[in-house]
Amino acid sequence: LQGVIAAKGTPEEVARIAHGLAADLLKAYPVPLAPGKAPALARGATLFAQNCASCHGMTGDGHGPDAAKLTTPPIAFSEITRARQRSPFA
Ligand code: HEC
């Protein structure tokens, strides 16, 4: 990977090698990539309302009451394209 980066390989080539290394790492050190059971939605809703909604908004649209005070705007979880690029592990 270092050699390909130093030689200014294509982004696709760098990504292919980096993803291969990540896969090898997970084989060597298996860690869970997602929860083993479905999350408790009611508990999650309570925690979200208490700890996250002030910035991310009750609907996750990024327009909570504290959002305007921030120089970096909170992420809108309702932005479907961005959400699809995220994983439970990330
Ligand atoms: C004080 C305001 C604030 C609170 C409270 C807050 N966030 Fe955020 N959050 C932000 C901001 C601002 C960003 C964007 C940071 C950036 O772009 O660098 C962000 C980004 C994120 C992201 C990244 C999303 C992505 O697509 O990259 C996740 C996930 C997230 N917050 C989850 C949470 C959760 C879960 C909670 C509650 C436990 C929470 N946040 C509480 C302000 C907040």
Side-chain angles (χ1 to χ4, degrees):
L1 178 61
Q2 287 175 328
V4 171
I5 291 171
K8 305 235 180 279
T10 65
E12 294 75 22
E13 196 177 4
V14 170
R16 183 183 54 74
I17 296 170
H19 288 142
L21 286 173
D24 288 347
L25 199 60
L26 281 171
K27 254 185 245 154
Y29 303 98
V31 292
L33 296 183
K37 60 179 184 169
L41 290 182
R43 178 77 181 126
T46 302
L47 288 172
F48 185 84
Q50 289 171 344
N51 302 296
C52 320
S54 59
C55 292
H56 291 283
M58 271 311 289
T59 62
D61 64 1
H63 296 297
D66 291 344
K69 299 176 202 156
L70 302 171
T71 48
T72 301
I75 301 295
F77 301 133
S78 52
E79 194 188 305
I80 197 75
T81 309
R82 188 182 182 94
R84 287 215 167 107
Q85 292 167 347
R86 296 296 178 271
S87 69
F89 184 59

Coordinates of all heavy atoms in Angstrom, one line a residue:
L1 N 0.8 -1.2 0.0 CA 0.0 0.0 0.0 C 0.9 1.3 0.0 O 0.6 2.2 -0.8 CB -1.0 0.0 1.2 CG -1.9 1.2 1.3 CD1 -2.8 1.4 0.1 CD2 -2.7 1.1 2.6
Q2 N 1.9 1.3 0.9 CA 2.8 2.4 0.9 C 3.5 2.7 -0.4 O 3.6 3.8 -0.9 CB 3.8 2.3 2.0 CG 3.3 2.4 3.4 CD 4.3 2.1 4.5 OE1 5.2 1.2 4.3 NE2 4.2 2.7 5.6
G3 N 3.9 1.6 -1.1 CA 4.5 1.7 -2.4 C 3.6 2.3 -3.4 O 4.0 3.1 -4.2
V4 N 2.4 1.8 -3.4 CA 1.4 2.3 -4.4 C 1.1 3.8 -4.2 O 1.0 4.5 -5.1 CB 0.1 1.4 -4.4 CG1 -1.0 2.0 -5.3 CG2 0.4 0.0 -4.9
I5 N 1.0 4.1 -2.9 CA 0.7 5.6 -2.6 C 1.9 6.4 -3.0 O 1.7 7.5 -3.7 CB 0.4 5.7 -1.1 CG1 -1.0 5.1 -0.8 CG2 0.4 7.2 -0.7 CD1 -1.3 5.0 0.7
A6 N 3.1 6.0 -2.7 CA 4.3 6.7 -3.0 C 4.5 6.9 -4.6 O 4.9 7.9 -5.1 CB 5.6 6.0 -2.5
A7 N 4.0 5.8 -5.3 CA 4.1 5.8 -6.7 C 2.9 6.5 -7.4 O 2.7 6.5 -8.6 CB 4.3 4.4 -7.3
K8 N 2.1 7.1 -6.5 CA 0.9 7.8 -7.0 C 0.0 6.9 -7.8 O -0.4 7.2 -8.9 CB 1.2 9.1 -7.8 CG 2.1 10.1 -7.0 CD 1.4 11.4 -6.9 CE 2.3 12.5 -6.1 NZ 2.2 12.4 -4.7
G9 N -0.3 5.7 -7.3 CA -1.3 4.8 -7.9 C -2.6 5.4 -8.0 O -2.9 6.4 -7.4
T10 N -3.5 4.8 -8.8 CA -4.9 5.3 -8.9 C -5.6 5.2 -7.6 O -5.3 4.3 -6.8 CB -5.6 4.6 -10.0 OG1 -5.8 3.2 -9.6 CG2 -4.9 4.6 -11.4
P11 N -6.6 6.0 -7.4 CA -7.5 5.9 -6.2 C -8.1 4.5 -6.1 O -8.2 4.0 -5.0 CB -8.6 7.0 -6.4 CG -7.9 8.0 -7.3 CD -7.0 7.2 -8.2
E12 N -8.5 3.9 -7.2 CA -9.1 2.6 -7.2 C -8.1 1.6 -6.7 O -8.5 0.7 -6.0 CB -9.6 2.2 -8.6 CG -10.8 3.1 -9.2 CD -10.3 4.5 -9.6 OE1 -9.1 4.7 -9.9 OE2 -11.2 5.4 -9.6
E13 N -6.9 1.7 -7.2 CA -5.8 0.7 -6.8 C -5.6 0.8 -5.3 O -5.5 -0.2 -4.6 CB -4.6 1.0 -7.6 CG -3.6 -0.1 -7.6 CD -2.3 0.1 -8.5 OE1 -2.2 1.3 -9.0 OE2 -1.5 -0.7 -8.5
V14 N -5.4 2.1 -4.8 CA -5.2 2.3 -3.4 C -6.4 1.8 -2.6 O -6.2 1.1 -1.5 CB -5.0 3.8 -3.1 CG1 -5.0 4.1 -1.6 CG2 -3.7 4.3 -3.7
A15 N -7.6 2.0 -3.0 CA -8.8 1.6 -2.3 C -8.8 0.0 -2.2 O -9.1 -0.6 -1.2 CB -10.0 2.1 -2.9
R16 N -8.5 -0.6 -3.4 CA -8.6 -2.1 -3.5 C -7.6 -2.7 -2.5 O -7.9 -3.6 -1.7 CB -8.2 -2.5 -4.9 CG -8.3 -4.1 -5.1 CD -7.9 -4.5 -6.5 NE -6.6 -4.0 -6.9 CZ -5.4 -4.5 -6.5 NH1 -5.4 -5.5 -5.6 NH2 -4.3 -4.0 -6.9
I17 N -6.4 -2.1 -2.4 CA -5.3 -2.7 -1.5 C -5.7 -2.4 0.0 O -5.6 -3.3 0.8 CB -3.9 -2.1 -1.8 CG1 -3.5 -2.6 -3.2 CG2 -2.9 -2.5 -0.8 CD1 -2.3 -1.9 -3.8
A18 N -6.2 -1.2 0.2 CA -6.6 -0.8 1.6 C -7.7 -1.7 2.1 O -7.7 -2.1 3.2 CB -7.0 0.7 1.7
H19 N -8.7 -1.9 1.2 CA -9.9 -2.7 1.6 C -9.4 -4.2 1.9 O -9.9 -4.9 2.7 CB -11.0 -2.7 0.6 CG -11.7 -1.4 0.6 ND1 -12.1 -0.7 -0.5 CD2 -12.0 -0.5 1.6 CE1 -12.7 0.4 -0.2 NE2 -12.7 0.5 1.1
G20 N -8.4 -4.6 1.0 CA -7.9 -6.0 1.2 C -7.2 -6.1 2.6 O -7.3 -7.1 3.3
L21 N -6.4 -5.1 2.9 CA -5.7 -5.1 4.2 C -6.8 -5.1 5.4 O -6.6 -5.8 6.4 CB -4.8 -3.9 4.4 CG -3.5 -3.9 3.5 CD1 -2.8 -2.6 3.6 CD2 -2.6 -5.0 4.0
A22 N -7.8 -4.3 5.2 CA -8.9 -4.2 6.3 C -9.5 -5.6 6.4 O -9.7 -6.1 7.5 CB -9.9 -3.2 5.9
A23 N -9.8 -6.3 5.3 CA -10.4 -7.6 5.3 C -9.4 -8.6 6.0 O -9.9 -9.4 6.8 CB -10.7 -8.1 3.9
D24 N -8.1 -8.5 5.7 CA -7.1 -9.4 6.3 C -7.1 -9.2 7.9 O -7.0 -10.1 8.7 CB -5.8 -9.2 5.7 CG -5.7 -9.7 4.3 OD1 -6.6 -10.5 3.9 OD2 -4.7 -9.4 3.6
L25 N -7.2 -7.9 8.2 CA -7.1 -7.5 9.7 C -8.3 -8.1 10.4 O -8.2 -8.7 11.5 CB -7.1 -6.0 9.8 CG -6.6 -5.4 11.1 CD1 -5.2 -5.8 11.4 CD2 -6.8 -3.9 11.0
L26 N -9.5 -8.1 9.8 CA -10.7 -8.6 10.4 C -10.6 -10.1 10.5 O -11.1 -10.7 11.4 CB -11.9 -8.2 9.6 CG -12.4 -6.8 9.9 CD1 -13.5 -6.4 9.0 CD2 -12.9 -6.7 11.4
K27 N -9.9 -10.8 9.5 CA -9.7 -12.2 9.6 C -8.8 -12.6 10.8 O -9.0 -13.5 11.5 CB -9.1 -12.7 8.3 CG -10.1 -13.5 7.4 CD -9.4 -14.1 6.2 CE -9.9 -13.4 4.9 NZ -9.0 -13.4 3.8
A28 N -7.7 -11.8 11.0 CA -6.8 -12.0 12.0 C -7.4 -11.7 13.4 O -7.1 -12.3 14.4 CB -5.5 -11.2 11.8
Y29 N -8.1 -10.6 13.5 CA -8.7 -10.1 14.7 C -10.2 -9.9 14.5 O -10.7 -8.8 14.4 CB -8.1 -8.8 15.2 CG -6.6 -8.9 15.3 CD1 -5.8 -8.4 14.3 CD2 -6.0 -9.4 16.5 CE1 -4.4 -8.5 14.4 CE2 -4.6 -9.5 16.6 CZ -3.8 -9.0 15.6 OH -2.5 -9.1 15.7
P30 N -11.0 -11.0 14.6 CA -12.4 -10.9 14.3 C -13.1 -10.1 15.4 O -13.1 -10.5 16.6 CB -12.9 -12.3 14.3 CG -11.7 -13.2 14.5 CD -10.6 -12.4 14.9
V31 N -13.7 -9.0 15.0 CA -14.5 -8.2 16.0 C -15.9 -8.1 15.3 O -16.0 -8.1 14.1 CB -13.9 -6.8 16.2 CG1 -12.6 -6.9 16.9 CG2 -13.8 -6.0 14.9
P32 N -17.0 -7.9 16.1 CA -18.3 -7.8 15.6 C -18.4 -6.5 14.8 O -18.0 -5.5 15.2 CB -19.2 -7.8 16.8 CG -18.4 -7.9 18.0 CD -16.9 -7.9 17.6
L33 N -19.0 -6.6 13.6 CA -19.2 -5.4 12.7 C -20.5 -4.8 12.9 O -20.8 -3.7 12.4 CB -19.0 -5.8 11.3 CG -17.6 -6.3 10.9 CD1 -17.5 -6.5 9.4 CD2 -16.5 -5.3 11.3
A34 N -21.4 -5.5 13.6 CA -22.8 -5.0 13.8 C -23.3 -5.7 15.1 O -22.8 -6.7 15.5 CB -23.7 -5.4 12.6
P35 N -24.3 -5.1 15.7 CA -24.8 -5.7 16.9 C -25.3 -7.1 16.6 O -25.8 -7.4 15.6 CB -26.0 -4.7 17.3 CG -25.8 -3.5 16.5 CD -25.0 -3.8 15.3
G36 N -25.2 -8.0 17.6 CA -25.6 -9.4 17.5 C -27.1 -9.5 17.5 O -27.6 -10.5 17.1
K37 N -27.8 -8.6 18.1 CA -29.3 -8.6 18.2 C -29.8 -7.2 17.9 O -29.1 -6.2 18.0 CB -29.8 -9.1 19.5 CG -29.3 -8.3 20.7 CD -29.9 -8.8 22.0 CE -29.5 -7.8 23.1 NZ -30.1 -8.0 24.4
A38 N -31.1 -7.2 17.5 CA -31.7 -5.9 17.1 C -31.7 -5.0 18.3 O -31.9 -5.4 19.4 CB -33.1 -6.1 16.7
P39 N -31.4 -3.7 18.0 CA -31.3 -2.7 19.1 C -32.7 -2.5 19.7 O -33.7 -2.7 19.1 CB -30.8 -1.4 18.5 CG -30.6 -1.7 17.0 CD -31.0 -3.1 16.7
A40 N -32.7 -2.0 21.0 CA -34.0 -1.7 21.7 C -34.4 -0.3 21.2 O -33.9 0.7 21.6 CB -33.8 -1.7 23.2
L41 N -35.4 -0.3 20.3 CA -35.8 1.0 19.7 C -36.3 2.0 20.7 O -35.9 3.2 20.6 CB -36.8 0.8 18.6 CG -36.3 0.1 17.3 CD1 -37.5 -0.1 16.3 CD2 -35.2 0.8 16.7
A42 N -37.1 1.6 21.7 CA -37.6 2.5 22.6 C -36.5 3.2 23.5 O -36.5 4.4 23.7 CB -38.7 1.9 23.5
R43 N -35.6 2.3 23.9 CA -34.4 2.8 24.7 C -33.6 3.8 23.8 O -33.2 4.8 24.3 CB -33.6 1.6 25.1 CG -32.3 2.0 25.9 CD -32.6 2.4 27.3 NE -31.4 2.8 28.0 CZ -31.3 3.9 28.7 NH1 -32.2 4.8 28.7 NH2 -30.1 4.2 29.3
G44 N -33.4 3.4 22.5 CA -32.7 4.3 21.6 C -33.4 5.6 21.4 O -32.7 6.7 21.4
A45 N -34.7 5.6 21.3 CA -35.4 6.9 21.1 C -35.3 7.8 22.3 O -35.1 9.0 22.2 CB -36.9 6.5 20.9
T46 N -35.3 7.2 23.5 CA -35.1 8.0 24.8 C -33.7 8.6 24.8 O -33.5 9.8 25.1 CB -35.3 7.1 26.0 OG1 -36.6 6.5 25.9 CG2 -35.2 7.9 27.3
L47 N -32.7 7.7 24.5 CA -31.3 8.2 24.5 C -31.1 9.3 23.5 O -30.4 10.3 23.7 CB -30.3 7.1 24.3 CG -30.2 6.1 25.5 CD1 -29.4 4.9 25.1 CD2 -29.6 6.8 26.7
F48 N -31.7 9.1 22.3 CA -31.5 10.1 21.2 C -32.1 11.4 21.7 O -31.5 12.5 21.5 CB -32.2 9.6 19.9 CG -31.9 10.5 18.8 CD1 -30.8 10.4 18.0 CD2 -32.9 11.5 18.4 CE1 -30.5 11.3 17.0 CE2 -32.6 12.4 17.4 CZ -31.5 12.3 16.6
A49 N -33.4 11.4 22.2 CA -34.0 12.6 22.7 C -33.2 13.3 23.7 O -33.1 14.6 23.7 CB -35.4 12.3 23.2
Q50 N -32.6 12.6 24.6 CA -31.9 13.2 25.7 C -30.5 13.7 25.3 O -30.1 14.7 25.8 CB -31.6 12.1 26.9 CG -32.9 11.8 27.6 CD -32.7 10.6 28.6 OE1 -31.7 9.8 28.4 NE2 -33.6 10.4 29.5
N51 N -29.8 13.0 24.4 CA -28.4 13.3 24.1 C -28.1 13.8 22.7 O -27.0 14.3 22.5 CB -27.6 12.1 24.4 CG -27.7 11.5 25.8 OD1 -27.4 12.2 26.7 ND2 -28.3 10.3 25.9
C52 N -29.0 13.7 21.8 CA -28.6 14.0 20.4 C -29.5 15.0 19.7 O -29.1 15.7 18.8 CB -28.6 12.7 19.6 SG -28.0 11.2 20.5
A53 N -30.8 15.0 20.1 CA -31.8 15.8 19.4 C -31.5 17.3 19.5 O -31.9 18.0 18.6 CB -33.2 15.5 19.9
S54 N -30.8 17.7 20.5 CA -30.6 19.2 20.7 C -29.9 19.7 19.4 O -30.0 20.9 19.1 CB -29.8 19.5 21.9 OG -28.6 18.8 21.9
C55 N -29.0 18.9 18.8 CA -28.3 19.3 17.6 C -28.9 18.7 16.4 O -29.1 19.3 15.4 CB -26.8 19.0 17.7 SG -25.9 19.9 19.0
H56 N -29.1 17.4 16.4 CA -29.5 16.6 15.2 C -31.0 16.7 14.9 O -31.4 16.4 13.8 CB -29.1 15.2 15.3 CG -27.6 15.0 15.2 ND1 -26.8 15.0 14.1 CD2 -26.7 14.7 16.2 CE1 -25.6 14.9 14.3 NE2 -25.4 14.7 15.6
G57 N -31.8 17.3 15.9 CA -33.2 17.4 15.7 C -33.9 16.2 16.0 O -33.4 15.1 15.9
M58 N -35.2 16.3 16.5 CA -36.0 15.1 16.9 C -36.2 14.1 15.8 O -36.3 12.9 16.0 CB -37.3 15.5 17.5 CG -37.3 15.8 19.0 SD -36.5 14.5 20.0 CE -37.7 13.2 19.9
T59 N -36.2 14.6 14.5 CA -36.4 13.7 13.4 C -35.1 13.4 12.7 O -35.1 12.7 11.7 CB -37.4 14.4 12.3 OG1 -36.7 15.6 11.9 CG2 -38.7 14.7 12.9
G60 N -34.0 13.9 13.3 CA -32.7 13.6 12.7 C -32.4 14.5 11.4 O -31.5 14.1 10.7
D61 N -33.1 15.6 11.3 CA -32.9 16.4 10.1 C -31.7 17.4 10.2 O -31.5 18.2 9.3 CB -34.2 17.1 9.7 CG -34.6 18.1 10.8 OD1 -33.9 18.3 11.8 OD2 -35.7 18.8 10.6
G62 N -31.1 17.4 11.4 CA -29.9 18.3 11.6 C -30.3 19.7 12.0 O -29.5 20.6 12.1
H63 N -31.6 19.9 12.4 CA -32.1 21.3 12.8 C -32.6 21.3 14.2 O -33.6 21.9 14.5 CB -33.2 21.7 11.8 CG -32.7 21.9 10.4 ND1 -31.7 22.8 10.0 CD2 -33.0 21.2 9.3 CE1 -31.5 22.7 8.7 NE2 -32.2 21.7 8.2
G64 N -31.8 20.7 15.1 CA -32.1 20.8 16.5 C -31.9 22.3 17.0 O -31.3 23.1 16.3
P65 N -32.5 22.6 18.2 CA -32.4 24.0 18.7 C -31.0 24.5 18.9 O -30.8 25.7 18.8 CB -33.1 23.9 20.1 CG -33.4 22.5 20.3 CD -33.3 21.7 19.1
D66 N -30.0 23.6 19.1 CA -28.6 24.1 19.3 C -27.8 24.1 18.0 O -26.7 24.6 18.0 CB -27.9 23.2 20.3 CG -28.4 23.4 21.7 OD1 -29.1 24.4 22.0 OD2 -28.2 22.5 22.6
A67 N -28.4 23.6 16.9 CA -27.7 23.5 15.7 C -27.2 24.9 15.2 O -26.0 25.0 14.7 CB -28.5 22.9 14.6
A68 N -28.0 25.9 15.3 CA -27.6 27.2 14.7 C -26.4 27.8 15.5 O -25.7 28.7 14.9 CB -28.8 28.2 14.8
K69 N -26.1 27.4 16.7 CA -25.0 27.9 17.5 C -23.7 27.3 17.0 O -22.6 27.8 17.5 CB -25.2 27.6 19.0 CG -26.5 28.2 19.6 CD -26.6 27.7 21.0 CE -28.0 27.8 21.5 NZ -28.3 26.9 22.7
L70 N -23.7 26.3 16.2 CA -22.5 25.6 15.9 C -21.9 26.1 14.6 O -22.6 26.5 13.7 CB -22.8 24.1 15.7 CG -23.3 23.4 16.9 CD1 -23.8 22.0 16.6 CD2 -22.3 23.4 18.1
T71 N -20.5 26.2 14.5 CA -19.9 26.6 13.3 C -19.9 25.5 12.2 O -20.1 25.8 11.0 CB -18.5 27.1 13.5 OG1 -17.8 26.1 14.3 CG2 -18.4 28.4 14.2
T72 N -19.8 24.3 12.7 CA -20.0 23.1 11.8 C -21.4 22.6 12.0 O -21.7 22.2 13.1 CB -19.0 22.0 12.2 OG1 -17.6 22.5 12.1 CG2 -19.1 20.8 11.3
P73 N -22.2 22.5 11.0 CA -23.6 22.1 11.1 C -23.6 20.6 11.5 O -22.8 19.8 10.9 CB -24.2 22.4 9.8 CG -23.1 22.5 8.8 CD -21.9 22.9 9.6
P74 N -24.6 20.2 12.3 CA -24.8 18.7 12.6 C -25.2 18.0 11.3 O -25.9 18.6 10.5 CB -25.9 18.7 13.6 CG -26.1 20.1 14.1 CD -25.5 21.0 13.1
I75 N -24.8 16.7 11.2 CA -25.2 15.9 10.1 C -26.7 15.7 10.1 O -27.3 15.4 11.2 CB -24.4 14.6 10.2 CG1 -22.9 14.8 10.1 CG2 -24.9 13.6 9.1 CD1 -22.4 15.4 8.9
A76 N -27.3 15.7 9.0 CA -28.8 15.3 8.9 C -28.8 13.8 8.6 O -28.4 13.4 7.6 CB -29.4 16.1 7.8
F77 N -29.3 13.1 9.6 CA -29.3 11.6 9.5 C -30.4 11.2 8.4 O -30.4 10.1 7.9 CB -29.7 10.9 10.8 CG -28.7 11.2 11.9 CD1 -29.1 11.6 13.1 CD2 -27.3 11.1 11.6 CE1 -28.2 11.8 14.2 CE2 -26.4 11.3 12.6 CZ -26.8 11.7 13.9
S78 N -31.3 12.2 8.1 CA -32.3 11.9 7.1 C -31.8 12.0 5.7 O -32.6 11.8 4.8 CB -33.5 12.8 7.4 OG -33.0 14.2 7.4
E79 N -30.6 12.4 5.5 CA -30.0 12.6 4.2 C -29.7 11.1 3.7 O -28.7 10.5 4.1 CB -28.8 13.4 4.2 CG -28.3 13.9 2.8 CD -27.0 14.6 2.9 OE1 -26.8 15.6 3.7 OE2 -26.0 14.1 2.2
I80 N -30.5 10.6 2.8 CA -30.5 9.2 2.5 C -29.2 8.8 1.8 O -28.7 7.7 2.1 CB -31.8 8.8 1.7 CG1 -32.0 7.3 1.7 CG2 -31.7 9.4 0.3 CD1 -32.5 6.8 3.0
T81 N -28.7 9.6 0.9 CA -27.4 9.2 0.2 C -26.3 9.0 1.2 O -25.6 8.0 1.2 CB -27.0 10.3 -0.8 OG1 -28.2 10.5 -1.6 CG2 -25.9 9.8 -1.7
R82 N -26.2 10.0 2.1 CA -25.1 9.9 3.1 C -25.4 8.6 4.0 O -24.4 7.9 4.3 CB -25.1 11.1 4.0 CG -23.9 11.2 4.9 CD -23.9 12.5 5.8 NE -22.7 12.5 6.6 CZ -21.6 13.1 6.3 NH1 -21.5 13.8 5.2 NH2 -20.6 13.1 7.1
A83 N -26.6 8.5 4.5 CA -26.9 7.4 5.4 C -26.6 6.0 4.7 O -26.1 5.1 5.4 CB -28.4 7.4 5.7
R84 N -26.8 5.9 3.4 CA -26.5 4.6 2.7 C -25.0 4.3 2.7 O -24.6 3.2 2.5 CB -27.1 4.7 1.3 CG -28.6 4.6 1.3 CD -29.1 3.8 0.1 NE -30.5 3.4 0.3 CZ -31.5 4.0 -0.4 NH1 -31.3 4.9 -1.3 NH2 -32.8 3.7 -0.1
Q85 N -24.2 5.4 2.8 CA -22.7 5.2 2.8 C -22.2 4.8 4.1 O -21.0 4.5 4.3 CB -22.1 6.5 2.3 CG -22.3 6.8 0.8 CD -21.9 8.2 0.4 OE1 -21.6 9.0 1.3 NE2 -21.9 8.5 -0.8
R86 N -23.0 4.9 5.2 CA -22.6 4.5 6.5 C -22.9 3.1 6.8 O -23.8 2.5 6.2 CB -23.3 5.4 7.5 CG -23.0 6.9 7.4 CD -21.5 7.2 7.6 NE -21.1 8.5 7.5 CZ -20.6 9.0 6.3 NH1 -20.6 8.3 5.2 NH2 -20.2 10.3 6.2
S87 N -22.2 2.5 7.8 CA -22.4 1.1 8.2 C -22.6 1.2 9.7 O -22.2 2.1 10.4 CB -21.2 0.2 7.9 OG -20.1 0.6 8.7
P88 N -23.3 0.1 10.3 CA -23.5 0.1 11.7 C -22.1 0.1 12.4 O -21.9 0.7 13.5 CB -24.1 -1.3 12.0 CG -24.9 -1.6 10.7 CD -24.0 -1.0 9.6
F89 N -21.1 -0.5 11.8 CA -19.7 -0.6 12.4 C -19.2 0.9 12.5 O -18.6 1.3 13.5 CB -18.8 -1.5 11.6 CG -17.4 -1.6 12.2 CD1 -17.3 -2.1 13.4 CD2 -16.3 -1.3 11.4 CE1 -16.0 -2.3 14.0 CE2 -15.1 -1.4 12.0 CZ -14.9 -1.9 13.2
A90 N -19.3 1.6 11.3 CA -18.8 3.0 11.3 C -19.5 3.8 12.3 O -18.9 4.7 13.0 CB -18.9 3.6 9.9
Ligands
HEC1 C1 -23.6 19.7 20.4 C2 -24.2 19.2 19.2 C3 -24.3 17.7 18.9 C4 -24.8 16.8 19.8 C5 -25.5 16.9 21.1 C6 -24.7 15.5 19.0 N1 -24.1 15.7 17.8 FE1 -23.6 14.3 16.4 N2 -22.7 15.7 15.3 C7 -22.7 17.1 15.6 C8 -22.0 17.7 14.5 C9 -21.7 19.3 14.5 C10 -21.6 16.8 13.6 C11 -20.8 17.0 12.3 C12 -19.3 16.9 12.6 C13 -18.5 17.1 11.4 O1 -19.0 17.3 10.2 O2 -17.3 17.2 11.5 C14 -22.1 15.5 14.1 C15 -21.9 14.3 13.5 C16 -22.4 13.1 13.9 C17 -22.3 11.8 13.2 C18 -21.6 11.6 11.9 C19 -22.6 11.3 10.8 C20 -22.0 11.1 9.5 O3 -22.7 10.7 8.5 O4 -20.8 11.3 9.3 C21 -23.0 10.9 14.0 C22 -23.2 9.4 13.7 C23 -23.5 11.6 15.1 N3 -23.2 12.9 15.1 C24 -24.2 11.0 16.1 C25 -24.6 11.6 17.3 C26 -25.3 10.9 18.3 C27 -25.7 9.4 18.3 C28 -25.5 11.8 19.3 C29 -26.1 11.6 20.7 C30 -25.6 10.5 21.5 C31 -25.0 13.1 18.8 N4 -24.5 12.9 17.6 C32 -25.1 14.3 19.5 C33 -23.2 17.7 16.7 C34 -23.8 17.1 17.7

